[in-house]
Amino acid sequence: MFKSKESGSSVKLEKYLNVSKFEGISRPSRDIVDVEQYEFGRLKMAFGLAGIGVWLATIREVILPHLAGKLEWVDQFLGLLGRGYLWGTDESWRRSYLNDCLRDHFLSCSDTTTPLEYVAIMFYDDPKYYIITIIGSLIIFLFLFVYFFIRRPAPFRVNRKIGAIYGWDQGKLWISPASEFEFSYKGEWDPLSFRFFTSGPMVVRLKNAKNPNKTRKFKLGGYPHWDRLHGRVLGKAITAFLKTSRTSYIIENAPKRLPLAWWKWAIFAVAKLPDDIDAHAEEWLRKYKYL
């Protein structure tokens, strides 16, 4: 059947208008809303920006000098680890071992000092330099690559059918029945997203399912977001959804899955809630007489 270009454009426009642009929520079914963990986005962005800066600094301070044959400070440290006389080739450090150590008896050297003993002698002479350099190198390596391993954690779930909000964190179920659900909101100072006390996350306090007397705060919502009072709007929409029969526009038109922005990509797949988490939540509500 022939379909005009205008008709196709109308369908696309209708689909666009029926999708909520509110950050950090999805609606996989009529009575369920999944909410993204706010701190993940902040952590991902922080390590992403730090990684870009460290990569640029590494290119400038290490790669370019190495290509130009002027990587003196790295050559110095590698020599202290044995390059040139214990492994690899470095003429200056080979001469240092032969002349400074074996001939001139530098530090505690003798005529019979082995290359490995020479490394140990220099280490004991200034261990702080070795330790600081190795730890600094590990930190740099961490910032270069950690971004790619930070995957988005499982969302928290708002289930209107059983009347609860719950999630899975560090191997534990955290939950709050609808009758006790409350959220708090406070604008935050966040230079990463250029916001200065103008917006922030929805903060909820949930109970440890195994020990209901133990509670913990969780920050929920999309990050970064460009909606003023994002956390407050989200909190009110979740409250209405959970405690009443009303469904706000942002929830009614939320996508079925949480969209994953390109910069939130990771080597590992997005974490998911346990398949039986809904059954566990319902069982907990019955056990404590909320159902």
Side-chain angles (χ1 to χ4, degrees), residues 34-274:
D34 286 343
V35 189
E36 187 176 339
Q37 293 198 43
Y38 186 85
E39 289 296 348
F40 158 74
R42 190 204 304 272
L43 185 69
K44 193 76 171 179
M45 179 177 285
F47 274 101
L49 294 175
I52 291 172
V54 174
W55 271 106
L56 293 176
T58 301
I59 293 171
R60 182 175 182 271
E61 300 296 332
V62 179
I63 296 178
L64 294 180
H66 173 70
L67 295 176
K70 299 179 180 179
L71 200 58
E72 295 179 1
W73 65 271
V74 172
D75 290 334
Q76 166 71 12
F77 181 70
L78 293 178
L80 293 173
L81 293 177
R83 191 179 72 167
Y85 53 94
L86 183 60
W87 59 274
T89 57
D90 188 291
E91 184 59 27
S92 63
W93 273 102
R94 188 185 72 84
R95 289 198 304 267
S96 175
Y97 170 65
L98 294 175
N99 298 334
D100 296 342
C101 181
L102 298 184
R103 186 188 68 188
D104 300 333
H105 298 166
F106 175 69
L107 296 176
S108 303
C109 283
S110 68
D111 295 340
T112 58
T113 299
T114 65
L116 187 60
E117 289 173 337
Y118 188 39
V119 174
I121 287 171
M122 288 189 291
F123 173 82
Y124 284 113
D125 180 61
D126 190 7
K128 183 170 66 174
Y129 176 74
Y130 280 86
I131 294 171
I132 291 176
T133 304
I134 291 174
I135 292 177
S137 300
L138 291 175
I139 291 174
I140 292 173
F141 186 82
L142 174 70
F143 277 102
L144 284 174
F145 296 103
V146 72
Y147 167 85
F148 302 103
F149 294 90
I150 303 175
R151 67 170 180 169
R152 186 166 65 187
F156 276 67
R157 175 158 291 176
V158 182
N159 191 325
R160 179 163 61 184
K161 185 175 181 180
I162 65 175
I165 177 172
Y166 48 90
W168 193 262
D169 189 79
Q170 297 180 353
K172 300 174 183 177
L173 173 65
W174 299 85
I175 186 169
S176 175
S179 59
E180 299 178 7
F181 171 75
E182 292 181 347
F183 77 93
S184 60
Y185 166 83
K186 184 180 180 181
E188 64 176 4
W189 183 80
D190 182 31
L192 278 177
S193 57
F194 302 102
R195 291 196 311 273
F196 303 95
F197 300 108
T198 57
S199 193
M202 173 186 81
V203 181
V204 297
R205 184 176 288 276
L206 304 180
K207 299 179 179 182
N208 185 324
K210 292 185 177 180
N211 181 11
N213 292 323
K214 181 180 180 181
T215 62
R216 179 180 158 195
K217 288 183 178 180
F218 293 92
K219 295 181 179 181
L220 306 180
Y223 183 96
H225 56 78
W226 315 117
D227 304 284
R228 183 172 176 81
L229 306 178
H230 175 90
R232 179 181 294 175
V233 173
L234 177 60
K236 289 184 175 181
I238 293 297
T239 301
F241 180 79
L242 191 57
K243 295 187 176 184
T244 71
S245 59
R246 291 184 288 115
T247 303
S248 68
Y249 171 82
I250 64 172
I251 291 178
E252 184 70 42
N253 296 283
K256 288 188 176 182
R257 291 186 179 88
L258 284 169
L260 186 64
W262 66 267
W263 64 273
K264 293 182 179 180
W265 174 87
I267 290 176
F268 299 115
V270 175
K272 297 180 180 179
L273 290 170

Side-chain angles (χ1 to χ4, degrees), residues 3-50:
K3 183 184 288 188
S4 67
K5 291 184 178 180
E6 290 77 6
S7 176
S9 299
S10 299
V11 171
K12 290 182 180 179
L13 179 61
E14 183 179 355
K15 288 183 178 180
Y16 174 80
L17 293 175
N18 286 333
V19 175
S20 171
K21 292 192 286 184
F22 198 81
E23 301 283 347
I25 60 173
S26 65
R27 194 184 183 194
S29 67
R30 182 177 180 275
D31 292 315
I32 289 179
V33 173
D34 286 343
V35 189
E36 187 176 339
Q37 293 198 43
Y38 186 85
E39 289 296 348
F40 158 74
R42 190 204 304 272
L43 185 69
K44 193 76 171 179
M45 179 177 285
F47 274 101
L49 294 175

